[in-house]
Amino acid sequence: MKHTLSVLVEDEAGVLTRIAGLFARRGFNIESLAVGPAENLGISRITMVVPGDDRIIEQLTKQLYKLVNVLKVQDITDTPCVERELMLLKVNATSSNRSEVVELAQIFRARVVDIAEDSLTLEVVGDPGKLVAIVQVLNKFGLREIARTGKIALTRESGVNTEFLKSLEAKL
């Protein structure tokens, strides 16, 4: 199972290296990693997606807390969250199929950020499932390049679970 960890750290040189080293020494893979400034000056938030069962994640959490600059570690996998990822996607788009590519991009609320004679570059923002879906839809045109940021997430103060809302919407 994939777990999403949100880690608050002191914004100092070498923190990310120590965290990556901890995972590497234990033979764990980080599937997604995003780092940026948090709400307080001098603090950064690291959001990472890590495969493993609950026992492994509990071990990793304990090991992370042993690192000097780690302030808080949360496994937010089962917590209601807002999750987003950014992807740039370069897709083949000739004059004969360009309008179809643009129409499909609009369905996913993707923006065209560059136009070339035989390709379009799209910017897509959304939950990771949305990004997978647009790649599947546009794959038939030929994908030239993909760049993804990795997932970022914040817990929902409202406590509303998006998956629960989606299931209600599907019943209507």
Side-chain angles (χ1 to χ4, degrees):
M1 179 178 170
K2 294 180 185 179
H3 288 260
T4 303
L5 300 179
S6 179
V7 184
L8 288 177
V9 298
E10 294 173 0
D11 190 11
E12 292 185 11
V15 174
L16 187 57
T17 303
R18 286 192 292 281
I19 289 174
L22 169 79
F23 279 75
R25 282 189 305 277
R26 284 158 181 71
F28 294 115
N29 186 34
I30 299 173
E31 290 189 8
S32 171
L33 180 69
V35 184
E39 54 278 5
N40 295 325
L41 190 64
I43 306 294
S44 290
R45 182 179 309 277
I46 300 172
T47 306
M48 59 180 87
V49 176
V50 182
D53 60 27
D54 290 340
R55 185 183 59 77
I56 288 170
I57 299 304
E58 185 179 331
Q59 284 178 338
L60 283 173
T61 300
K62 288 177 183 175
Q63 294 297 317
L64 283 167
Y65 271 120
K66 289 181 182 179
L67 298 177
V68 176
N69 301 106
V70 173
L71 304 173
K72 185 177 181 181
V73 180
Q74 275 185 289
D75 181 357
I76 59 173
T77 307
D78 297 324
T79 305
C81 292
V82 177
E83 300 175 335
R84 293 293 182 268
E85 193 170 340
L86 168 67
M87 178 173 64
L88 294 174
L89 175 70
K90 194 178 294 181
V91 61
N92 291 327
T94 60
S95 57
S96 62
N97 67 6
R98 186 176 307 265
S99 62
E100 186 180 358
V101 172
V102 170
E103 285 176 26
L104 289 169
Q106 288 174 342
I107 291 170
F108 288 90
R109 294 189 182 116
R111 290 181 352 147
V112 175
V113 293
D114 187 49
I115 300 173
E117 191 174 315
D118 58 352
S119 72
L120 291 174
T121 301
L122 305 173
E123 172 188 87
V124 190
V125 177
D127 65 74
K130 175 182 177 179
L131 276 55
V132 169
I134 193 170
V135 166
Q136 289 176 343
V137 168
L138 294 177
N139 200 34
K140 69 180 180 180
F141 299 103
L143 303 177
R144 292 186 177 189
E145 292 180 72
I146 296 177
R148 291 176 68 164
T149 59
K151 178 167 57 170
I152 58 171
L154 290 176
T155 59
R156 289 184 181 269
E157 290 295 317
S158 65
V160 175
N161 184 333
T162 322
E163 296 305 314
F164 174 71
L165 291 176
K166 286 179 185 175
S167 70
L168 284 179
E169 191 176 80
K171 291 178 183 176
L172 297 176

